[in-house]
Amino acid sequence: MYDLIVNEQPLGRSLAAALVDHGHEVAYVDDDGEYCNMVTAEVGCLVIQGETTNLRILQEAGIERADVIVALLDKDIKNIMVGLFAKQFAVPRILARLHQQHYHAAYELAGIDNIFSAFDYLLNELLMAIEEPNVRQVMTLGQGEIEIASIDVPAKSPLLERGLHELWEHRKFPPGALILGLLKEKQQTFHLPREQPLVALNDEILALGSADDIHQISLIISGKRQGLFGRSP
């Protein structure tokens, strides 16, 4: 896979290194000479120094054969321009970091099909940390609309010493969600749902669903009642 990273942020340098470690062929474009030298020395991928929204520079970096292009520029308008160039060359996947929410529609019009917002991510993480400290996000899927979360089983959980299957058989279990398994705290062993393990204190339940699904599953596990606006009081 040929990945083209168009970068003006520290994130792009770390991404380039991680992709090379995973066996990807990577091209890195940056307008900062010092950072380009660092990537050349530390990562060993193709590095092009130049204006990040210059079509000639992007062609030199191989935009016409890229499987994925990642735009991590410091202004939304620059990311949109890179997206338009990528669309022109029919790059199969276009990813970019969104800075200001009101540009979201413009990103979509530019053909950017994977839009990542640090604002949305931080907001969701803060809400989860405040409202549901027993829930930890493991990863997100798609464009962030689906997540995998690890939910701790608290002392007052109605699931204690009951089978894991009783969770998804609960009448309020969200129909679009899935239970992926149970990590036993004492034995440090992972059990699939089909094994029907018993739930114990401090076990971790791995669940997949939307943010609302995860919240609802957390309420069932903790035994809390649902409060106003769909949130626990």
Side-chain angles (χ1 to χ4, degrees):
M1 179 177 289
Y2 188 71
D3 305 324
L4 173 54
I5 300 172
V6 188
N7 184 67
E8 291 177 349
Q9 301 176 17
L11 176 60
R13 300 190 292 279
S14 297
L15 178 61
L19 288 171
V20 168
D21 287 344
H22 282 79
H24 292 238
E25 185 181 3
V26 176
Y28 175 93
V29 176
D30 200 318
D31 61 1
D32 190 300
E34 181 179 351
Y35 288 149
C36 284
N37 291 336
M38 289 171 55
V39 174
T40 299
E42 298 173 5
V43 179
C45 63
L46 172 65
V47 177
I48 305 293
Q49 181 185 353
E51 174 54 50
T52 50
T53 55
N54 185 303
L55 180 55
R56 182 185 61 79
I57 295 294
L58 296 177
Q59 287 178 298
E60 186 178 346
I63 189 173
E64 70 282 350
R65 70 181 188 93
D67 297 297
V68 178
I69 187 166
V70 184
L72 297 170
L73 305 179
D74 59 4
K75 295 185 183 300
D76 286 307
I77 191 63
K78 291 183 178 181
N79 286 330
I80 291 168
M81 288 178 65
V82 171
L84 289 170
F85 287 140
K87 187 177 181 180
Q88 176 184 339
F89 285 92
V91 177
R93 296 180 61 203
I94 309 171
L95 291 69
R97 179 179 180 180
L98 176 70
H99 295 280
Q100 299 184 57
Q101 298 299 307
H102 58 266
Y103 279 105
H104 195 281
Y107 273 60
E108 292 179 334
L109 288 173
I112 301 171
D113 46 14
N114 286 271
I115 303 169
F116 300 90
S117 170
F119 176 86
D120 286 345
Y121 177 79
L122 183 58
L123 177 62
N124 289 334
E125 285 291 293
L126 287 170
L127 282 172
M128 187 174 291
I130 293 169
E131 295 189 333
E132 299 170 278
N134 63 315
V135 179
R136 292 182 300 282
Q137 188 181 77
V138 176
M139 67 180 298
T140 59
L141 304 174
Q143 297 185 30
E145 68 273 12
I146 299 295
E147 59 187 60
I148 297 175
S150 174
I151 307 172
D152 292 334
V153 178
K156 295 183 179 180
S157 173
L159 286 175
L160 289 176
E161 305 307 322
R162 305 178 77 94
L164 181 62
H165 65 280
E166 294 191 28
L167 174 56
W168 68 80
E169 291 174 356
H170 192 282
R171 61 186 178 86
K172 289 189 176 181
F173 187 85
L178 290 172
I179 298 301
L180 303 180
L182 177 74
L183 178 64
K184 301 295 292 180
E185 192 269 339
K186 286 188 176 180
Q187 297 89 347
Q188 285 297 296
T189 55
F190 185 78
H191 298 270
L192 296 172
R194 65 170 178 263
E195 300 174 40
Q196 298 190 11
L198 293 179
V199 178
L201 178 64
N202 295 327
D203 285 352
E204 296 179 31
I205 296 174
L206 207 61
L208 179 147
S210 67
D212 287 341
D213 290 341
I214 297 300
H215 173 70
Q216 183 61 35
I217 294 170
S218 174
L219 290 179
I220 297 171
I221 293 172
S222 65
K224 294 179 181 178
R225 65 183 179 87
Q226 194 164 23
L228 294 174
F229 310 113
R231 293 295 181 184
S232 56

